[in-house]
C-alpha cells in the first residue's frame, strides 16, 4: 500500500514538472564580505572573507530555489590592543529561495532596456533566454536562506560548526547569450557561532549563471 | 545595451575589490600593554619521583625571556623547586589579582610533572605536580582548580603555558574540537571524526570541565594522554630544556609569521608544533611522539 502511495506521489510530482516549467541552472560565484565579530568583554573587530560557491538552481516562473556548496576563508583581525580574532577556513552548504521584486502582481524585477512591454514577464524572460536578442534585460529580486559551516581555525587542527541565516538583494544581467546571465548580489548574513557572542557579514557577490533548459519546456515552442 | 561594458565592470570588480577585502585586517598597535606573569618550575621534588633535569632551567629561561620582551621585573614572579607549592601559587595569583586590571595581560607558565587520574565516576582530571606532590592538598593542582585560581585575576587576556605530561587535558574541547586525538601516538589526525563531534557538540551544548577559551588561551606541550620530553641534546645540538620550552624560547626570533615584531599565541603554537614535528616526531618511534595543543576559541593574544 505504501509502495503504491509513494509511486502515486512520484507520478504526481513528475507530471507536475512541465506545468511549473522548471529550468535547471548552475552558477559559479565569488563572494567578498566583511565579517564583524564580537566576544563578550572584547570589542567588535572586522575580518575580510572570501568564498567561492557552486550552486544548482531550480527555477520556475521567476522564483528559484538553490542548493549551494562552497569553500570559504576568513582572515584574522588586526591585533590592535594586543589581541585579535583568529582566521579560519572551511567549507559550507546553503539552501536559499529567491523571489523577483513585484508590485500589484506585476513583476517589477525586469528592468527592460529593450523597450518591450510584454504583460507576461515570465514569457519575456523565457524568450530572452531561449533566443539571442539584440537588447538585454536586468532582473532584480531578493532572497533568503540558511547555511551550515564547518571551519578550521588557521594554524590549528581545531574544527568548529555553526549555522547561519541570510538575506540578499540580487540583480541579474541577462546577457546577449541566451543561457548566460551575470548575477550581482549583496548578501547580509548572521552566523550563530557558539564561540562568539555575535558575528555577521555583508559584502558583494558576483557570479555567472548558466541555464540548462528543461527539455520538457521545449514542447510547444 | 552592450554586453561588453558589463563584462568589463564585472572583471574590474572581481580583480580589484574582492581580492582586496582580506587586507582590511591590518595590524594597528599590537602592544599588549601592562603584563604580569607567574613562572613555576619543579625539577627536584620533595619525595622521589621520576627525575626531571631541566624544569628549573626552563622556568628561569622563560622568566628571562619575558623580562627581555617587556614584562616589568616587578610583575614577574618566579618560583622553583621547594618554593613551587600550591600555597605560594594561591598567594601569587591573589597578589597579581590585586594589581592587574581588566585590560592587562596575565601569563602563567609551568614546567614540571603532569599527570592524569580517573575519578570514581570515570571522569578524567589532569594535574600539574608541584614540589610537595605527596601532599594532595599542597602538591597537585587539578585542571578545574587552576581554572578557579585564574578566575581571580580580573584580566580579560590570560595565557597558560604548560610544559608537562598530559597537559592537553587542561583545554576544554569545545567549541573548537581538536582533530588531533588526545593520544597522538599511533593514531593520525582525524578531521572527519572531529567534524562529526563538532556538529554534535554544537547542538548538545556540552559544558565540560577544564579551562574554557573564555578564561584563558592554553598552550599545552602535549595531549591529554601523551607524555612530553626534555632532552640535553638533539643530533648534537645542546638543548637542556623541555622540548616545548626550548622552542618557546626561540619563538620571539623565529615565530613571527606576519613580521610585526610581536608573537601571538597562535604564532608561538604553530612554531613550537612545527619544530617538534620536524626535529623530534620525524625521527622517533610512535611511542615517543607528541604534539602541542592549543585552546579552540576565537581569540589570539599577543604574548611577547
Amino acid at each position: 500500500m505504501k509502495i503504491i502511495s509513494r509511486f502515486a506521489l512520484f507520478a504526481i510530482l513528475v507530471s507536475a514538472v512541465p506545468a511549473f516549467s522548471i529550468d535547471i541552472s548552475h552558477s559559479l560565484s565569488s563572494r567578498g564580505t566583511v565579517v564583524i565579530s564580537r566576544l563578550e568583554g572584547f570589542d567588535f573587530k572586522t575580518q575580510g572573507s572570501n568564498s567561492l560557491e557552486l550552486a544548482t538552481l531550480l527555477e520556475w516562473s521567476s522564483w528559484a530555489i538553490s542548493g549551494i556548496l562552497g569553500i570559504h576563508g576568513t582572515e584574522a583581525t588586526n591585533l590592535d590592543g594586543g589581541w585579535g580574532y583568529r582566521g579560519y577556513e572551511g567549507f559550507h552548504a546553503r539552501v536559499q529561495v529567491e523571489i523577483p521584486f513585484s508590485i500589484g502582481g506585476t513583476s517589477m524585477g525586469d528592468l527592460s532596456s529593450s523597450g518591450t512591454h510584454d504583460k507576461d514577464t515570465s514569457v519575456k524572460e523565457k524568450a530572452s533566454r531561449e533566443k539571442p536578442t539584440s537588447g538585454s534585460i536586468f532582473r532584480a529580486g531578493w532572497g533568503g536562506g540558511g547555511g551550515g559551516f564547518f571551519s578550521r581555525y588557521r594554524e590549528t587542527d581545531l574544527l568548529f560548526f555553526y549555522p547561519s541565516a541570510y538575506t540578499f538583494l540580487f540583480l541579474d544581467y541577462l546577457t546577449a547569450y541566451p543561457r548566460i546571465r551575470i548575477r550581482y548580489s549583496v548578501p547580509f548574513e548572521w552566523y550563530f557561532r557558539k564561540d562568539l557572542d555575535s558575528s555577521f557579514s555583508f559584502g558583494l557577490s558576483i557570479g555567472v549563471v548558466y541555464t540548462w533548459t528543461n527539455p520538457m519546456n521545449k514542447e510547444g515552442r | 545595451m552592450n554586453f561588453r561594458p558589463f563584462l568589463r565592470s564585472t572583471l574590474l570588480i572581481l580583480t580589484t575589490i574582492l581580492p582586496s577585502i582580506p587586507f582590511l585586517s591590518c595590524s594597528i598597535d599590537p602592544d599588549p600593554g601592562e603584563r604580569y606573569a607567574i613562572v613555576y618550575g619543579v625539577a627536584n621534588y620533595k619525595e622521589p619521583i621520576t627525575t626531571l633535569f631541566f624544569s628549573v632551567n626552563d622556568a628561569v629561561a622563560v622568566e628571562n625571556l619575558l623580562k627581555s620582551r617587556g614584562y616589568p621585573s616587578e610583575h614577574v614572579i618566579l618560583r622553583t623547586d621547594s618554593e613551587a607549592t600550591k600555597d605560594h601559587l594561591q598567594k601569587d595569583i591573589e597578589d597579581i589579582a590585586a594589581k592587574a586590571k581588566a585590560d592587562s595581560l596575565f601569563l602563567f607558565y609551568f614546567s614540571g610533572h603532569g599527570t592524569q587520574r580517573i575519578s570514581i565516576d570515570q571522569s578524567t582530571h589532569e594535574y600539574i605536580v608541584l614540589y610537595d606532590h605527596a601532599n594532595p592538598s599542597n602538591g597537585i593542582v587539578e585542571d578545574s582548580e587552576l581554572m578557579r585560581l585564574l578566575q581571580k585575576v580580573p584580566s580579560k587576556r590570560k595565557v597558560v603555558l604548560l610544559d608537562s605530561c598530559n597537559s592537553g587535558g587542561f583545554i576544554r574541547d569545545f567549541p573548537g574540537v581538536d582533530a588531533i586525538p588526545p593520544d597522538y601516538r599511533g593514531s593520525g589526525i582525524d578531521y572527519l571524526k572531529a567534524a562529526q563531534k563538532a556538529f554534535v557538540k554544537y547542538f548538545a551544548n556540552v559544558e565540560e570541565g577544564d579551562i574554557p577559551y573564555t578564561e584563558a588561551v592554553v598552550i599545552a606541550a602535549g595531549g591529554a594522554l601523551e607524555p612530553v620530553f626534555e632532552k640535553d641534546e638533539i643530533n648534537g645540538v645542546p638543548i637542556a630544556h623541555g622540548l616545548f620550552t626550548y622552542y618557546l624560547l626561540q619563538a620571539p626570533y623565529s615565530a613571527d609569521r606576519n613580521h610585526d615584531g610581536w608573537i601571538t599565541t597562535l604564532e608561538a603554537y604553530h612554531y613550537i608544533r612545527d619544530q617538534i614535528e620536524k626535529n623530534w616526531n620525524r625521527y622517533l618511534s610512535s611511542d615517543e611522539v607528541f604534539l602541542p595543543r592549543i585552546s579552540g576559541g576565537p581569540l589570539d593574544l599577543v604574548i611577547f
Side-chain angles (χ1 to χ4, degrees):
Chain A
M1 191 64 182
K2 275 186 178 177
I3 294 170
I4 294 170
S5 300
R6 284 177 187 169
F7 178 78
L9 181 64
F10 177 74
I12 291 166
L13 288 173
V14 168
S15 63
V17 167
F20 283 114
S21 299
I22 292 178
D23 284 334
I24 297 174
S25 303
H26 284 103
S27 76
L28 181 66
S29 61
S30 172
R31 179 188 286 216
T33 56
V34 177
V35 180
I36 300 174
S37 302
R38 179 180 170 274
L39 178 65
E40 188 179 355
F42 293 85
D43 295 331
F44 281 102
K45 282 194 175 184
T46 59
Q47 297 171 276
S49 181
N50 280 330
S51 62
L52 191 66
E53 296 183 332
L54 186 64
T56 298
L57 296 81
L58 299 178
E59 299 171 287
W60 71 98
S61 184
S62 293
W63 291 55
I65 184 165
S66 309
I68 301 166
L69 291 174
I71 52 173
H72 60 269
T74 302
E75 297 298 312
T77 66
N78 65 53
L79 293 169
D80 191 32
W83 64 276
Y85 295 123
R86 294 176 182 178
Y88 51 92
E89 60 214 353
F91 64 89
H92 59 269
R94 303 178 197 273
V95 176
Q96 70 184 35
V97 174
E98 55 195 66
I99 308 163
F101 286 137
S102 63
I103 298 172
T106 302
S107 172
M108 300 297 287
D110 292 350
L111 309 173
S112 173
S113 62
S114 61
T116 56
H117 298 283
D118 297 348
K119 283 185 180 176
D120 186 347
T121 52
S122 66
V123 171
K124 182 180 72 177
E125 183 184 310
K126 190 170 286 180
S128 72
R129 289 187 200 160
E130 294 307 316
K131 59 183 180 184
T133 57
S134 55
S136 301
I137 299 171
F138 285 108
R139 188 183 67 156
W142 70 280
F149 292 68
F150 282 101
S151 298
R152 181 184 70 158
Y153 294 116
R154 286 193 174 158
E155 321 291 354
T156 75
D157 290 299
L158 292 155
L159 306 188
F160 59 107
F161 169 81
Y162 56 98
S164 76
Y166 63 97
T167 186
F168 60 96
L169 297 170
F170 69 85
L171 180 69
D172 279 355
Y173 171 67
L174 309 179
T175 71
Y177 302 94
R179 293 171 184 269
I180 298 173
R181 61 188 196 270
I182 294 173
R183 167 164 292 190
Y184 303 83
S185 71
V186 182
F188 176 83
E189 188 158 24
W190 191 273
Y191 306 105
F192 302 100
R193 285 175 61 170
K194 286 276 176 81
D195 60 339
L196 289 165
D197 287 298
S198 55
S199 181
F200 57 93
S201 73
F202 60 88
L204 180 66
S205 171
I206 298 170
V208 176
V209 183
Y210 184 89
T211 301
W212 309 81
T213 301
N214 185 338
M216 285 183 277
N217 290 351
K218 290 179 178 173
E219 290 175 6
R221 284 178 185 161
Chain B
M1 189 174 284
N2 193 349
F3 172 65
R4 287 177 185 277
F6 281 92
L7 181 63
R8 276 202 296 272
S9 63
T10 300
L11 287 174
L12 183 70
I13 291 169
L14 279 173
T15 54
T16 58
I17 296 177
L18 293 187
S20 68
I21 284 176
F23 297 102
L24 291 169
S25 304
C26 56
S27 293
I28 300 175
D29 182 11
D31 190 331
E34 192 177 53
R35 282 162 271 184
Y36 294 87
I38 293 175
V39 178
Y40 274 43
V42 188
N44 304 295
Y45 284 84
K46 187 175 181 183
E47 302 290 333
I49 194 170
T50 311
T51 306
L52 289 174
F53 297 99
F54 305 120
S55 293
V56 172
N57 286 6
D58 290 346
V60 171
V62 167
E63 184 208 22
N64 290 333
L65 168 72
L66 296 177
K67 287 178 179 174
S68 72
R69 297 289 294 184
Y71 286 66
S73 297
E74 63 274 20
H75 289 186
V76 180
I77 299 171
L78 172 69
R79 304 267 189 198
T80 58
D81 286 345
S82 61
E83 284 197 341
T85 62
K86 195 194 289 185
D87 287 342
H88 275 140
L89 181 60
Q90 288 170 335
K91 181 180 173 300
D92 292 340
I93 284 181
E94 282 163 10
D95 285 349
I96 283 180
K99 291 187 250 177
K101 302 180 189 73
D103 59 354
S104 306
L105 171 71
F106 171 66
L107 184 147
F108 173 68
Y109 169 89
F110 173 76
S111 177
H113 279 298
T115 189
Q116 184 188 59
R117 292 179 183 174
I118 300 173
S119 305
I120 298 169
D121 64 356
Q122 297 300 306
S123 61
T124 56
H125 298 278
E126 289 73 27
Y127 302 82
I128 54 174
V129 183
L130 299 177
Y131 174 70
D132 189 9
H133 69 92
N135 177 0
S137 65
N138 198 34
I140 59 173
V141 179
E142 190 185 322
D143 42 17
S144 56
E145 193 174 6
L146 182 59
M147 186 186 74
R148 284 194 295 276
L149 289 171
L150 290 170
Q151 284 173 335
K152 294 180 179 180
V153 180
S155 307
K156 290 181 296 185
R157 290 175 291 138
K158 297 174 201 167
V159 178
V160 174
L161 306 173
L162 300 174
D163 191 355
S164 55
C165 296
N166 307 111
S167 47
F170 280 74
I171 299 171
R172 182 178 290 184
D173 198 21
F174 181 79
V177 174
D178 209 333
I180 311 170
D183 191 351
Y184 179 61
R185 295 171 297 173
S187 56
I189 295 171
D190 191 341
Y191 287 110
L192 187 61
K193 192 174 178 182
Q196 289 171 341
K197 201 171 166 186
F199 182 78
V200 170
K201 281 195 168 189
Y202 181 90
F203 295 102
N205 202 15
V206 181
E207 280 293 326
E208 297 171 336
D210 308 326
I211 300 173
Y213 70 95
T214 47
E215 193 57 48
V217 175
V218 181
I219 307 180
L225 298 173
E226 290 167 10
V228 300
F229 299 94
E230 58 176 19
K231 290 293 285 181
D232 52 355
E233 57 90 22
I234 293 181
N235 298 330
V237 177
I239 289 182
H241 285 293
L243 290 172
F244 173 85
T245 300
Y246 177 69
Y247 294 116
L248 172 69
L249 296 170
Q250 293 179 0
Y253 319 103
S254 307
D256 190 7
R257 288 164 68 86
N258 61 357
H259 307 291
D260 65 352
W262 297 95
I263 304 300
T264 70
T265 48
L266 270 183
E267 285 175 327
Y269 165 77
H270 184 268
Y271 177 76
I272 297 166
R273 175 184 160 158
D274 192 43
Q275 294 303 310
I276 287 173
E277 282 189 294
K278 278 183 189 165
N279 300 315
W280 179 261
N281 290 351
R282 183 182 292 179
Y283 301 106
L284 293 164
S285 68
S286 61
D287 286 346
E288 293 171 293
V289 299
F290 67 100
L291 276 182
R293 308 292 203 277
I294 189 169
S295 298
L299 281 178
D300 190 17
L301 304 179
V302 174
I303 45 176
F304 42 69

